[in-house]
Amino acid sequence: MELVEEMGEKRVVVDKAFLYEEDKPLTVCKTSLFHTGDGFAAYDCHGDIIFRVDSYGPGTRDDDEFVLMDVTGNCLLTVKRKRPTLHQRWEGFLGERSDGQKPIFSVRRSSIIGRCTMEVEVYDETGEEYTIDGDFSQRSCLIHDTKKRTVAEIKRKVDASTNVMLGRDVFTLEIKPGFDGAFAMGLVLVLDQINGDDPVEIGDEQVHPFVEDI
């Protein structure tokens, strides 16, 4: 499948520091299992943290507003649910959102019934659009641009030492060259809120992500 780098394109939506020259697989780990979307940490293949979302369960912030940070705690992106909306529209804001700030992108369900494609629109001069196909609750999604090129993938993680598929609280986000990794991680936050989790399957394992085996 044609990838972004083959066209020499780079798409900065949030921060150019998170553009990569090669495929960038991140191990994403849910940091709390008590509530849907209670926090995330994303690690590279060396076990270094790249992104984090501190616990945002009940009583921490607006229940419909979450902040993506880098390893130093710098606020990169805020995602917030727009109400009222039938299609569960979410909007992304650069940095820590302030009143009156305009969004830089939005995500919405293509249908109000069942699991469906997600539609992403970027609010800049390019007006770039993306689609997210698959089922996030199963950690199986592809993010495509308008030319149907895969720019990021969410997939179940397999422990290379045991060949065991890990539980859905640990999964892989693979970012393709030239695509904004912070933007991709922001989309993960939105997907987690829209799709949530199905009941945990029998046999799902919990493994600490620091020892990387991608």
Side-chain angles (χ1 to χ4, degrees):
M1 184 175 293
E2 187 181 22
L3 302 179
V4 171
E5 76 274 18
E6 292 176 346
M7 301 295 291
E9 298 175 7
K10 293 184 177 181
R11 289 293 295 119
V12 179
V13 178
V14 178
D15 194 324
K16 65 181 180 181
F18 301 102
L19 294 176
Y20 304 105
E21 297 297 326
E22 300 178 345
D23 284 7
K24 184 73 171 181
L26 300 179
T27 296
V28 182
C29 177
K30 277 199 166 188
T31 55
S32 173
L33 305 179
F34 294 105
H35 304 278
T36 298
D38 250 3
F40 285 102
Y43 303 84
D44 66 12
C45 61
H46 305 292
D48 295 325
I49 190 167
I50 306 298
F51 304 113
R52 64 185 178 91
V53 179
D54 287 341
S55 179
Y56 47 86
T60 55
R61 292 180 63 90
D62 183 334
D63 288 342
D64 290 336
E65 181 174 303
F66 315 123
V67 177
L68 176 69
M69 295 175 285
D70 64 15
V71 65
T72 66
N74 179 47
C75 296
L76 301 171
L77 176 71
T78 301
V79 294
K80 181 176 176 62
R81 184 172 182 175
K82 184 175 182 179
R83 294 182 180 273
T85 173
L86 292 176
H87 291 263
Q88 294 197 46
R89 180 185 293 272
W90 286 73
E91 295 179 325
F93 300 83
L94 197 60
E96 189 164 9
R97 187 187 68 86
S98 58
D99 291 341
Q101 183 177 351
K102 293 184 178 180
I104 58 174
F105 69 87
S106 69
V107 185
R108 67 187 291 272
R109 294 164 55 95
S110 61
S111 171
I112 63 174
I113 301 174
R115 300 196 183 277
C116 58
T117 297
M118 302 291 173
E119 299 173 345
V120 183
E121 182 179 358
V122 178
Y123 300 138
D124 62 11
E125 65 276 4
T126 68
E128 188 71 35
E129 296 181 350
Y130 300 91
T131 56
I132 306 174
D133 298 302
D135 186 350
F136 180 77
S137 72
Q138 299 299 319
R139 308 302 186 251
S140 177
C141 295
L142 292 173
I143 303 175
H144 297 118
D145 65 11
T146 53
K147 297 178 182 178
K148 298 301 182 182
R149 297 174 297 189
T150 299
V151 295
E153 181 178 2
I154 298 163
K155 55 188 176 182
R156 296 289 294 267
K157 185 173 177 61
V158 175
D159 185 335
S161 64
T162 62
N163 203 33
V164 172
M165 183 176 291
L166 305 186
R168 281 171 284 181
D169 54 301
V170 179
F171 57 94
T172 297
L173 170 63
E174 185 166 305
I175 303 159
K176 300 302 182 181
F179 192 64
D180 188 334
F183 179 38
M185 190 63 199
L187 296 178
V188 169
L189 299 186
V190 173
L191 288 170
D192 184 59
Q193 289 300 306
I194 291 178
N195 286 337
D197 288 312
D198 289 338
V200 176
E201 296 173 340
I202 296 175
D204 272 2
E205 303 285 345
Q206 293 183 21
V207 178
H208 199 283
F210 282 103
V211 179
E212 184 54 76
D213 48 36
I214 296 174

